[in-house]
């Protein structure tokens, strides 16, 4: 079974074979950044985790589709900004899921390096929001595959930003390519980029794939 993610999912099979109604791949109730859930051959895969404090909300969503926390096998973060990795440590503690991130952002997630952007102000923000570092289980590279999703290195927003690409053209772009509330594509904000030129080049690279469905880090889904 390949990852099950469509714009509208009519049902999601529970562990007892029953089905729970579901509106789509985005986890409800997580604000600021989008969090997505993917069904794989091994269980469930989460794309990003939102800000600190979202772990219980995400697990409640999983419970609402008839699955147990232990069904979450992989947490893949598209980049190490706090609005995407804020709940990684708590989710790993509660579920035992593997944590995967690109090798260039891994030292920030583990606490070995300070955030790549924002200087001391960003360091203070991470502390204020009680970010908990976590050592990743998998350090991803361009061309790797996890849960049936292909890793595409799209640096610029951060050094280790990635997109995740499914064989049928569904793309999870993180913050490398954005959208508005109406599902229109937006370029990455150069003011928030680690490397502005590379961020724009990466956005163009994703756009050139002509995704059948683009699921961005912020904004509504974009149908191809």
């Amino acid at each position: 079974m390949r990852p099950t993610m469509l714009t509208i999912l009519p049902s999601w099979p529970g562990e007892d074979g029953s089905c729970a109604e579901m509106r789509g791949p985005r986890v409800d109730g997580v604000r600021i950044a989008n969090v997505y859930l993917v069904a794989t051959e091994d269980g469930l895969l989460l794309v990003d985790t939102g800000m600190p404090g979202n772990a219980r909300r995400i697990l409640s969503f999983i419970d609402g589709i008839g699955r147990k926390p232990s069904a979450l096998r992989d947490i893949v973060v598209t980049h190490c900004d706090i609005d995407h990795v804020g709940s990684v440590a708590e989710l790993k503690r509660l579920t035992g899921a593997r944590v995967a991130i690109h090798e260039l952002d891994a030292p920030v997630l583990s606490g070995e390096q300070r955030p790549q952007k924002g200087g001391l102000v960003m360091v203070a923000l991470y502390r204020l929001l009680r970010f908990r570092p976590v050592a990743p289980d998998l350090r991803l590279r361009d061309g790797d595959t996890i849960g049936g999703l292909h890793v595409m290195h799209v640096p610029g927003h951060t050094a280790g930003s990635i997109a995740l690409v499914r064989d049928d053209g569904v793309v999870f772009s993180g913050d490398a390519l954005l959208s508005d509330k109406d599902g229109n594509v937006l370029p990455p904000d150069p003011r928030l980029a680690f490397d502005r030129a590379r961020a724009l080049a990466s956005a163009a690279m994703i756009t050139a794939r002509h995704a059948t469905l683009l699921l961005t880090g912020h904004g509504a889904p974009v149908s191809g």
Side-chain angles (χ1 to χ4, degrees):
M1 180 182 69
R2 72 182 181 187
T4 305
M5 277 298 110
L6 301 174
T7 308
I8 299 296
L9 289 177
S11 62
W12 191 291
E15 293 183 349
D16 60 355
S18 63
C19 288
E21 291 301 313
M22 185 179 177
R23 288 193 295 275
R26 187 165 58 184
V27 175
D28 291 338
V30 179
R31 298 180 179 179
I32 301 181
N34 293 328
V35 174
Y36 299 102
L37 195 63
V38 179
T40 73
E41 291 181 354
D42 298 324
L44 300 176
L45 179 150
L46 193 71
V47 179
D48 290 331
T49 69
M51 293 286 283
N54 277 307
R56 298 288 181 179
R57 186 173 290 111
I58 291 168
L59 293 181
S60 292
F61 182 87
I62 291 174
D63 180 71
I65 61 170
R67 306 298 292 270
K68 296 178 180 178
S70 58
L72 183 60
R73 303 298 176 84
D74 291 299
I75 302 168
V76 184
V77 288
T78 57
H79 61 288
C80 198
D81 278 352
I82 196 167
D83 56 335
H84 292 258
V85 302
S87 295
V88 170
E90 184 68 358
L91 282 167
K92 180 175 175 61
R93 184 184 72 82
L94 293 171
T95 67
R98 299 185 304 176
V99 174
I101 189 170
H102 191 273
E103 60 182 357
L104 294 181
D105 275 14
V108 181
L109 182 64
S110 66
E112 300 169 67
Q113 294 180 7
R114 65 175 54 179
Q116 299 165 356
K117 302 174 293 184
L120 294 177
V121 173
M122 190 61 66
V123 172
L125 178 63
Y126 273 52
R127 290 175 179 170
L128 178 66
L129 295 174
R130 298 181 179 179
F131 170 70
R132 291 172 53 198
V134 58
D137 300 287
L138 298 172
R139 297 185 178 223
L140 302 172
R141 295 181 176 181
D142 186 68
D144 286 348
T145 300
I146 182 167
L149 301 173
H150 305 292
V151 175
M152 181 180 177
H153 186 208
V154 286
H157 185 71
T158 65
S161 290
I162 61 171
L164 298 167
V165 182
R166 202 171 72 174
D167 287 339
D168 61 358
V170 175
V171 176
F172 299 85
S173 64
D175 285 3
L177 193 61
L178 305 174
S179 58
D180 64 19
K181 62 183 179 63
D182 297 315
N184 299 304
V185 175
L186 297 175
D189 188 338
R191 297 169 299 176
L192 301 177
F194 172 72
D195 183 320
R196 296 184 181 188
R198 297 188 78 185
L200 293 174
S202 289
M205 188 165 55
I206 297 172
T207 301
R209 297 192 68 91
H210 302 291
T212 58
L213 178 65
L214 179 66
L215 300 171
T216 62
H218 302 270
V222 180
S223 297

